[in-house]
């Protein structure tokens, strides 16, 4: 796929740099600072966009416009809402759209907190069905469901499903579709253009890219569905702080630069791991030999910064992580500093004890490849 998208004659880099900025005002900053306000001057009837700090904030508004411009360029009918975290965003869709007696389809290989979501949904009398991401297996359990939740590429296994196919099938059955777009980012994949009703993501990861913000968002086109999401945000108060929102907006300006560097380096690391003498079961959607590549190349503009592979034992994985010099042993992904972890240490993911999730940062690709290969060699001794 192309590395840029020229929707409306504007490339991804230009869009990211200018997304959500207000009209220029003489002597004012390009991106106004964060607005810290619990309340606003509000004489008379409570009309207008800003009435109370839990409901709206000018700093959120600019960030929401910026994300919306990335998720759906040139489409003014898309609404975006920001949240305090990715899980706050996920919860807002799931719990605002489902009622007792409804059925929802979740990925069985998705983010490790989804089992907690399943338990809560079932406690509310909602039927939860699960199926793997690969092979569009969720189609087999879709009949009668109210909501289909897709995570593609899946975390941490990096399987990919056909969003267009699943969305069309869900629509034919009267089901809503939400896609977790965290790993891809809006520059890698645009779920709303592929037929989804909601694009949901953790902005904690590559969207902001510096490992210093917790943030989430939901983008959608249907006014009634998004009104329910907004109402849920108001009820639970899952709102971002204005400083976090401002930092996120500032960080989006470098998104295209970071994504392109990290994606290219991830491919280089994946190729080096693929060519290692041991069979490591390397997964990266951008590898032409990867099982996900065919579908990924049809719906993704970029393939992400995460590479996964298996080492034969837990001890070998621990030695590998300890031998790394440029890669931090830490969770999460998408940051400018590379991280890796033995994912099985958390529980909840169906992975082997030696499974490694590697998030490729913005270091020089040659240095990263050398570091990873040296750690592999050292860990084998």
């Amino acid at each position: 796929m192309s590395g840029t998208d020229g929707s409306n004659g504007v490339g991804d880099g230009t869009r990211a740099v200018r997304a959500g900025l207000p009209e220029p005002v003489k002597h004012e900053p390009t991106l106004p600072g964060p607005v810290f306000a619990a309340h606003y001057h509000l004489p008379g009837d409570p009309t207008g966009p800003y009435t109370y700090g839990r409901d709206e904030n000018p700093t959120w508004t600019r960030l929401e416009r910026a994300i919306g411009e990335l998720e759906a360029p040139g489409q003014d009918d898309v609404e975006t809402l920001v949240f305090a975290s990715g899980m706050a965003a996920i919860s807002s869709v799931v719990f605002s759209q489902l009622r007792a007696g409804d059925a929802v389809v979740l990925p069985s290989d998705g983010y490790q907190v989804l089992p907690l979501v399943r338990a809560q949904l079932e406690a509310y009398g909602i039927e939860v069905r699960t199926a793997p991401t690969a092979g569009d297996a969720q189609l087999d359990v879709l009949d009668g469901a109210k909501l289909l939740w897709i995570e593609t590429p899946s975390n941490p296994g990096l399987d990919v499903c056909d969003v267009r196919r699943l969305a069309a099938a869900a629509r034919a059955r009267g089901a809503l579709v939400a896609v977790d777009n965290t790993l891809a980012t809006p520059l890698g994949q645009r779920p709303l253009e592929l037929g989804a009703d909601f694009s949901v993501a953790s902005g904690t990861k590559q969207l902001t890219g510096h490992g210093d913000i917790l943030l989430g968002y939901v983008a959608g086109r249907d006014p009634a569905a998004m009104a329910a999401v907004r109402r849920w945000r108001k009820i639970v108060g899952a709102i971002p702080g204005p400083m976090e929102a401002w930092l996120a907006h500032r960080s989006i300006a470098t998104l295209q630069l970071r994504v392109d560097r990290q994606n290219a380096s991830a491919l280089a690391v994946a190729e080096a791991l693929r060519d290692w003498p041991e069979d490591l079961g390397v997964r990266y959607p951008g590898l032409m030999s990867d099982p996900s590549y065919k579908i990924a190349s049809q719906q993704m503009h970029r393939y992400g910064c995460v590479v996964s592979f298996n080492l034969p034992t837990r001890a070998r994985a621990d030695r590998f992580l300890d031998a790394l010099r440029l890669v931090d042993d830490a969770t999460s992904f998408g940051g400018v500093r590379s991280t890796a972890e033995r994912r099985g240490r958390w529980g909840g993911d169906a992975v082997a004890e030696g499974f490694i999730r590697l998030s490729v940062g913005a270091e020089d690709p040659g240095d990263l490849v050398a570091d990873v290969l040296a750690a592999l060699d050292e860990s084998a001794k």
Side-chain angles (χ1 to χ4, degrees), residues 149-171:
W149 190 274
I150 296 170
E151 186 178 302
T152 181
S154 62
N155 172 29
L158 301 181
D159 280 319
V160 171
C161 61
D162 187 335
V163 177
R164 289 186 183 90
R165 183 187 182 203
L166 286 166
R171 186 178 300 108

Side-chain angles (χ1 to χ4, degrees), residues 26-48:
K26 189 174 183 179
H27 306 308
E28 292 294 320
T30 304
L31 176 61
V35 174
F36 299 98
H39 59 266
Y40 307 87
H41 288 295
L42 194 65
D45 293 333
T47 58

Side-chain angles (χ1 to χ4, degrees), residues 281-300:
V282 180
R283 295 299 307 273
Y284 181 66
L287 278 175
M288 293 184 68
S289 58
D290 191 273
S292 294
Y293 179 79
K294 182 178 179 181
I295 296 299
S297 65
Q298 295 170 5
Q299 66 188 25
M300 298 183 73

Side-chain angles (χ1 to χ4, degrees), residues 88 92 95 163 175 195 210 213 248 330 357:
S92 75
F95 292 106
V163 177
H210 292 80
I213 301 169
R357 185 181 71 178

Side-chain angles (χ1 to χ4, degrees), residues 65-373:
R65 288 172 180 167
I67 295 172
E69 289 172 23
L70 299 177
E71 283 281 353
Q75 300 177 43
D76 295 335
D77 59 341
V78 170
E79 181 180 4
T80 303
L81 297 170
V82 291
F83 291 81
S85 69
M87 280 309 304
I90 289 171
S91 299
S92 75
V93 173
V94 172
F95 292 106
S96 71
Q97 304 302 315
L98 297 171
R99 303 288 183 272
D102 288 341
V104 59
V105 178
L106 301 178
S108 59
D109 54 346
Y111 181 47
Q112 56 137 347
V113 182
L114 288 182
L116 298 179
V117 175
R118 174 178 186 162
Q120 192 63 55
L121 287 169
E122 289 175 337
Y124 289 158
I126 295 165
E127 178 189 355
V128 180
R129 308 169 188 168
T130 62
T133 298
D136 300 341
Q138 290 174 298
L139 283 174
D140 296 334
V141 293
L142 186 55
D143 286 351
K146 174 70 179 299
L147 175 66
L148 168 62
W149 190 274
I150 296 170
E151 186 178 302
T152 181
S154 62
N155 172 29
L158 301 181
D159 280 319
V160 171
C161 61
D162 187 335
V163 177
R164 289 186 183 90
R165 183 187 182 203
L166 286 166
R171 186 178 300 108
R173 292 164 172 81
L176 296 168
V177 178
V179 176
D180 187 327
N181 204 35
T182 303
L183 200 145
T185 82
L187 298 195
Q189 181 173 263
R190 296 199 180 111
L192 300 180
E193 293 180 0
L194 298 172
D197 297 286
F198 303 100
S199 181
V200 188
S202 169
T204 308
K205 311 298 195 297
Q206 197 173 23
L207 183 81
T208 57
H210 292 80
D212 54 8
I213 301 169
L214 288 174
L215 193 84
Y217 69 85
V218 178
R221 186 174 283 108
D222 182 80
M226 289 303 294
V229 173
R230 180 183 290 274
R231 180 173 179 269
W232 181 263
R233 184 176 72 173
K234 178 183 179 73
I235 291 170
V236 300
I239 59 173
M243 191 66 195
E244 285 79 4
W246 184 86
L247 286 169
H249 197 170
R250 178 213 59 178
S251 298
I252 284 175
T254 62
L255 179 61
Q256 188 257 352
L257 299 173
R258 291 184 282 106
V259 164
D260 281 353
R261 174 61 172 256
Q262 290 172 259
N263 283 214
S265 296
L267 179 59
V269 170
E271 289 172 340
L273 290 168
R274 177 199 61 196
D275 296 338
W276 185 253
E278 298 174 88
D279 182 3
L280 302 176
V282 180
R283 295 299 307 273
Y284 181 66
L287 278 175
M288 293 184 68
S289 58
D290 191 273
S292 294
Y293 179 79
K294 182 178 179 181
I295 296 299
S297 65
Q298 295 170 5
Q299 66 188 25
M300 298 183 73
H301 301 283
R302 298 169 175 87
Y303 300 104
C305 63
V306 177
V307 179
S308 70
F309 58 99
N310 281 290
L311 293 172
T313 65
R314 173 176 177 170
R316 173 75 183 281
D318 287 339
R319 292 196 302 272
F320 167 77
L321 293 168
D322 187 58
L324 292 166
R325 296 294 175 262
L326 297 179
V327 182
D328 296 331
D329 190 346
T331 195
S332 198
F333 58 85
V336 292
R337 288 172 288 278
S338 294
T339 60
E341 68 174 338
R342 190 181 65 80
R343 190 63 185 167
R345 66 180 176 170
W346 295 100
D349 289 315
V351 296
E353 283 292 302
F355 180 93
I356 300 293
R357 185 181 71 178
L358 172 63
S359 172
V360 176
E363 299 90 351
D364 286 314
D367 293 340
L368 274 177
V369 169
D371 189 42
V372 169
L373 295 185

